[in-house]
Amino acid sequence: MGRLARDLIARTEALGMRVAGARLALPGLVDARSSSLRIAPNLGWSDVEPVPLVGLPGAVRVTIANEADLAGLAQVWGTPPAVRATRTFLYVSGDVGVGAALVVDDALFPGRHGWSGEIGHVVVDPSGARCRCGATGCLERYAGKEALAGAVGLGLDVPDDVLTERLRQGDQAARAVLDRAGQALGLAISNAVNLVDVDCVLLGGVYARITELLRPAVHAELMSRVLAAPWAPVEVQAAPVGEHPALTGGALAVL
Amino acid sequence: MGRLARDLIARTEALGMRVAGARLALPGLVDARSSSLRIAPNLGWSDVEPVPLVGLPGAVRVTIANEADLAGLAQVWGTPPAVRATRTFLYVSGDVGVGAALVVDDALFPGRHGWSGEIGHVVVDPSGARCRCGATGCLERYAGKEALAGAVGLGLDVPDDVLTERLRQGDQAARAVLDRAGQALGLAISNAVNLVDVDCVLLGGVYARITELLRPAVHAELMSRVLAAPWAPVEVQAAPVGEHPALTGGALAVL
């Protein structure tokens, strides 16, 4: 990745452009002040300082951020106001891990240490399967890419479009995994809505491609579990910036 | 309640004092702008306009608010800065219902409609018992006053100090209900901490009197379920304003 970035910087500068900076999007708990990644359960990394490892030229300022936070901000910065559903929303991204960003009035709600949005570790079933984080029954185990791919006989390295095409084909196994993932996702989102009162949820990552397949189960959970649902229905949409949102957010963040 | 309030206003004014206003603390979803209570599952009320029902003199301005929100603000307004643990915390109140207030930098985080903090309806076990809200396995069913009192053979109308004294006696039934409630509470608080990244939780209502009995089970859940726990341990304390916090918050709110 360092080589890719160095090549890109060299090519950009050869064209006479100046590189404004670089932001590294990471899954897990990012401590931006100390430039360290506290933990990324799905990478098996903890307490890593990734910036020196990338080895970019000293003139390029590199900072780090959580990838779901950047992808959430991409939905604000990367879409014109007319396209955007709302200025306050929960962005939920499905990949190997499931992450989220709470955006309030176009700004990220960071929490005390910048570690908000760890929806992947919201409990779906306390007696459920063990998660890479060490706890049991986390959302990731039911609605992460591993669960989605595994249930239809694909590996974790399957490209998103191949996975979502298989899920779209709609055989019994695909329908079952979509129902289970949608239910788990709906339950975790319901918990979030009950706690922070948002009325718009944008689905990103793998979810952006299968929003309409997940929506029935998600919607059923929201209607039965969100106390405010009859007065403030929760809208569930595919995120408008669906392709490489963390890259888009990272790029916009350094400008 | 209207008669009590009218008596109090009359006695106050007879002493030459002026009543600055009144705030009505209500459980459930309060729409402050339209002065209506959308729903209070434990009262069996929905879409009620309570202010005219109280029948206070027209000169007294009456507004309504959620009781957990007012009790949460009492922890800010009612304690000197030296006593306060932090300016950012989650206040969780145990009564018939379980409510919460998210306080960020001394201000309430209201959410889109002022309906944040409905932690009582965070799912503890999706296949669990039915809640008054219509969903299944909500925190209230495991850690609400009805569950606490019922499990030690007391009725819902038992005074808080009698209930907590019985729980303190520590027989097997009491220990079992405290473990179960603490575990459920710890799970719901873990979900909240993973989502909004707070490192201080203040327990109010019945919980304020039994914080040290609940803490072991709550703490165990937090340590195993909060991704950030090893780097940012979550402190669980009894709320400093423990007696009538919603009244205190309501009184301070009109000043």
Side-chain angles (χ1 to χ4, degrees), chain B residues 6-77:
Chain B
R6 284 191 299 274
D7 281 0
L8 187 63
I9 290 167
R11 281 161 51 200
T12 305
E13 288 177 341
L15 290 168
M17 291 189 279
R18 195 172 61 82
V19 174
R23 192 155 295 197
L24 204 52
L26 297 162
L29 303 181
V30 168
D31 184 339
R33 276 185 307 183
S34 69
S35 254
S36 60
L37 176 71
R38 292 296 179 210
I39 190 167
N42 292 313
L43 295 177
W45 293 4
S46 64
D47 288 316
V48 174
E49 288 187 35
V51 175
L53 302 176
V54 183
L56 293 194
V60 176
R61 183 176 143 77
V62 189
T63 52
I64 66 177
N66 173 273
E67 62 177 358
D69 286 350
L70 289 177
L73 286 172
Q75 311 307 327
V76 175
W77 298 337

Side-chain angles (χ1 to χ4, degrees), chain A residues 87-128:
Chain A
R87 298 178 58 206
T88 294
F89 58 86
L90 185 72
Y91 171 81
V92 182
S93 170
D95 202 300
V96 181
V98 178
L102 176 58
V103 173
V104 178
D105 287 337
D106 283 352
L108 200 66
F109 178 87
R112 191 82 174 76
H113 313 85
W115 297 339
S116 64
E118 287 297 342
I119 201 169
H121 303 284
V122 160
V123 194
V124 169
D125 178 3
S127 56

Side-chain angles (χ1 to χ4, degrees), chain A residues 28-29 38-39 41 46-47 86 88 90 100 102 104 109-119 121-127 133-138 187-188 190-199 224-225 227-229 231-232, chain B residues 28-29 38-39 41 46-47 86 88 90 100 102 104 109-119 121-127 133-138 187-188 190-199 224-225 227-229 231-232:
Chain A
L29 302 181
R38 293 297 180 210
I39 190 167
S46 62
D47 288 316
T86 171
T88 294
L90 185 72
L102 176 58
V104 178
F109 178 87
R112 191 82 174 76
H113 313 85
W115 297 339
S116 64
E118 287 297 342
I119 201 169
H121 303 284
V122 160
V123 194
V124 169
D125 178 3
S127 56
C133 77
T136 52
C138 296
L187 193 149
S190 297
N191 283 349
V193 173
N194 276 323
L195 281 167
V196 296
D197 179 19
V198 288
D199 53 13
S224 76
R225 300 199 175 277
L227 202 58
W231 296 272
Chain B
L29 303 181
R38 292 296 179 210
I39 190 167
S46 64
D47 288 316
T86 173
T88 294
L90 184 73
L102 176 58
V104 178
F109 178 87
R112 190 83 175 77
H113 313 84
W115 297 339
S116 66
E118 288 296 343
I119 201 170
H121 303 286
V122 160
V123 193
V124 169
D125 177 3
S127 55
C133 77
T136 52
C138 296
L187 193 150
S190 297
N191 283 349
V193 173
N194 276 323
L195 281 167
V196 296
D197 179 19
V198 289
D199 53 13
S224 76
R225 299 197 175 279
L227 202 58
W231 297 272

